[in-house]
Amino acid sequence: MSSPQDWFTHDRFGLFIHWGVYSAAARHEWVMSREQIPVEEYDTYRRHFDPDLYDPREWAAAAKAAGMRYVVLTTKHHDGFCLWDSDLTDYSVANTPYGKDLIGPYVEAFREAGLKVGFYHSLIDWHHPDFPIDGVHPRRDDEDAAEQNAGRDIARYREYLHGQVRELLTRYGTIDYLFYDFSYPDREHRGLPGKGHEDWGSQELEALTRELQPDILINDRLDLPDSDLVTPEQYQPSAPMTRNGQPVRWEACQTLNGSWGYDRDNHDYKSTELLVKMLVDGVSKDGNLLLNVGPTARGNFDPRAVASLESIGEWMHLHERSVVGAGPAAYEAPADARYTQRGDRLYLHLFSWPMRHVHLSGLAGKIGYAQLLNDASEIRFTEVDPNQAAQNTTPGGQPAGTVTLTLPIQRPDVAVPVVELFLEG
Ligand code: GLC
């Protein structure tokens, strides 16, 4: 059964972009909360926000070269700053030295490059005067926090939230994906009445989103039971994900260095090898990877992010068909390896380089040909007849049904080597 949302599972790999005035602070997108910065003081980042190097075509080209097929950009993060000229607030890019809409050019550039286009939108808003001061709000430790809260009306904020989503979903043509972030089940443990999904009017917001964009995908962070996908954060699930016992579409979102927003002094970058492993591991469990870049306040990707995307792109250039359009396989991979399958091809991703031989159980009689994917060089193999009891015709006396690949001594010089197995019958 095909649906307009099938592109998502097929595409497998997307770019997350966290960008806002926090990029100027350059010390994590939660800086306003972490450092408990008052609205007036935080406003200095708006007054200095001038991304003169912003060129979304460059972003799109970098994403495309990395093998990414879709993109999700923060339209508004928890600090409340809007990257478009909203009619409902002055707290937007329209009131910065830059002064121009950032969302329209973004949508256009990525669409032009052939990528699906998504929006991230924060349910939480530390700038809006009606948003409650909860346990993570920058004003949480104010002595008069309770009095401040008494005057805050969540219904007014809800109206604002829905109004802004309406703007975003009516001004820019087709939007493929909405990543809401994030809901909590209740605020009671933070000493406040109210349930998260009631605060946002989650049901109405979901209905509005679907009314304005009928084919859109909506993530799970509205805290409703029937979202289109689930989004584990900086976490690789150990098996295909399920919801109420049924398989569910999923996407892991991951950072390059632990921070979503540009974090200048954080050098804890993941290696290309690790990032490619995350992508492959996800696909082997029927999941996607949404990998994040936090552009600088000048609007470009910093050199470390560029280097990461480029080297992932080198791998993708040679191995794309083992992940795009691929999914989990019906066979159990050997230790420290992952299988993916696409039609009659089975892909063996070797997370560590074996000692000459690798044994694949249950595949005897099923493989017509095998090659390294990076250079299409033949990999020769032996088999133990599945109908025979264990014998000693292969090195090590493998059980019936085993295929033993003989690998070169030299590990191919790629982030993760892949053997492509042609299935027969
Ligand atoms: C979170 C964080 C946030 C980030 C997001 C990405 O919930 O609050 O800063 O935008 O997850 O998944």
Side-chain angles (χ1 to χ4, degrees):
M1 209 174 46
S2 78
S3 94
Q5 303 171 332
D6 287 348
W7 64 268
F8 186 81
T9 301
H10 173 271
D11 286 1
R12 291 299 187 199
F13 190 25
L15 174 65
F16 213 173
I17 305 176
H18 275 68
W19 196 37
V21 291
Y22 47 78
S23 308
R27 43 187 200 275
H28 200 279
E29 78 285 354
W30 272 62
V31 61
M32 186 181 183
S33 166
R34 285 182 171 185
E35 299 178 16
Q36 306 195 15
I37 305 174
V39 162
E40 311 72 51
E41 198 183 307
Y42 192 80
D43 200 43
T44 191
Y45 301 125
R46 175 192 61 80
R47 285 186 273 109
H48 292 95
F49 191 66
D50 189 9
D52 60 326
L53 299 180
Y54 177 52
D55 180 359
R57 284 203 174 87
E58 231 172 70
W59 293 6
K64 201 175 173 162
M68 293 158 158
R69 301 287 185 114
Y70 63 100
V71 60
V72 180
L73 168 68
T74 50
T75 51
K76 177 193 90 165
H77 203 262
H78 307 333
D79 65 1
F81 178 79
C82 300
L83 271 63
W84 78 103
D85 183 6
S86 172
D87 295 340
L88 305 176
T89 182
D90 288 338
Y91 193 50
S92 83
V93 68
N95 285 305
T96 64
Y98 187 74
K100 288 171 286 189
D101 176 34
L102 297 168
I103 299 294
Y106 151 79
V107 171
E108 240 171 75
F110 279 86
R111 223 183 255 147
E112 220 172 73
L115 280 82
K116 298 278 188 212
V117 175
F119 289 160
Y120 164 109
H121 196 72
S122 176
L123 303 170
I124 289 160
D125 193 317
W126 298 324
H127 181 269
H128 197 282
D130 282 306
F131 191 83
I133 301 174
D134 59 19
V136 295
H137 193 283
R139 301 271 46 82
R140 61 190 173 272
D141 290 335
D142 284 10
E143 271 174 27
D144 64 344
E147 287 100 273
Q148 290 185 53
N149 260 333
R152 293 179 178 228
D153 180 359
I154 190 71
R156 278 199 298 250
Y157 173 68
R158 188 158 53 235
E159 204 177 307
Y160 172 80
L161 171 66
H162 292 204
Q164 290 207 315
V165 167
R166 181 179 287 282
E167 289 181 347
L168 287 167
L169 297 184
T170 52
R171 290 186 184 179
Y172 302 106
T174 301
I175 300 304
D176 302 291
Y177 181 11
L178 222 157
F179 192 114
Y180 285 112
D181 189 43
F182 61 87
S183 191
Y184 28 77
D186 63 62
R187 291 195 263 117
E188 271 159 38
H189 63 289
R190 291 169 178 169
L192 290 168
K195 300 231 173 276
H197 67 94
E198 288 167 7
D199 285 359
W200 335 119
S202 284
Q203 246 149 9
E204 296 76 12
L205 191 53
E206 188 194 56
L208 175 72
T209 307
R210 293 203 195 285
E211 175 202 319
L212 299 175
Q213 298 280 344
D215 292 336
I216 204 167
L217 276 159
I218 307 177
N219 75 340
D220 56 331
R221 300 193 186 178
L222 280 173
D223 201 24
L224 294 172
D226 57 348
S227 62
D228 295 326
L229 72 151
V230 298
T231 55
E233 182 171 320
Q234 304 211 56
Y235 172 76
Q236 290 292 118
S238 58
M241 295 193 76
T242 57
R243 184 171 55 195
N244 306 320
Q246 296 301 312
V248 64
R249 202 188 265 124
W250 67 270
E251 170 196 70
C253 46
Q254 295 280 3
T255 57
L256 288 176
N257 65 351
S259 176
W260 301 96
Y262 179 58
D263 195 2
R264 184 191 58 207
D265 303 334
N266 173 342
H267 298 272
D268 199 15
Y269 275 74
K270 296 178 180 76
S271 68
T272 301
E273 183 184 323
L274 181 58
L275 294 166
V276 170
K277 283 177 176 174
M278 285 173 162
L279 172 63
V280 165
D281 178 69
V283 176
S284 79
K285 295 165 185 161
D286 213 7
N288 284 26
L289 174 64
L290 184 63
L291 182 62
N292 182 77
V293 170
T296 75
R298 290 194 71 181
N300 58 347
F301 290 179
D302 83 289
R304 294 167 297 187
V306 170
S308 287
L309 293 187
E310 280 176 358
S311 58
I312 293 171
E314 276 173 35
W315 187 84
M316 284 295 278
H317 177 64
L318 297 172
H319 302 90
E320 186 180 65
R321 68 181 189 247
S322 80
V323 294
V324 175
Y331 307 94
E332 204 183 317
D336 220 11
R338 299 289 186 281
Y339 277 144
T340 64
Q341 189 171 348
R342 176 184 168 132
D344 65 354
R345 306 290 170 84
L346 184 62
Y347 295 97
L348 172 67
H349 300 79
L350 295 162
F351 282 12
S352 65
W353 195 239
M355 295 174 280
R356 192 86 169 127
H357 296 107
V358 61
H359 306 290
L360 313 177
S361 63
L363 284 174
K366 294 182 177 156
I367 295 172
Y369 188 72
Q371 63 182 8
L372 280 174
L373 185 50
N374 60 289
D375 64 358
S377 60
E378 183 180 9
I379 294 295
R380 299 167 82 185
F381 58 92
T382 55
E383 304 177 275
V384 185
D385 188 329
N387 302 312
Q388 275 176 36
Q391 46 170 287
N392 282 315
T393 54
T394 54
Q398 293 301 311
T402 302
V403 166
T404 297
L405 308 180
T406 302
L407 298 170
I409 295 294
Q410 293 299 323
R411 177 191 184 280
D413 187 18
V414 296
V416 173
V418 182
V419 181
E420 184 175 47
L421 303 160
F422 292 64
L423 295 170
E424 283 185 333

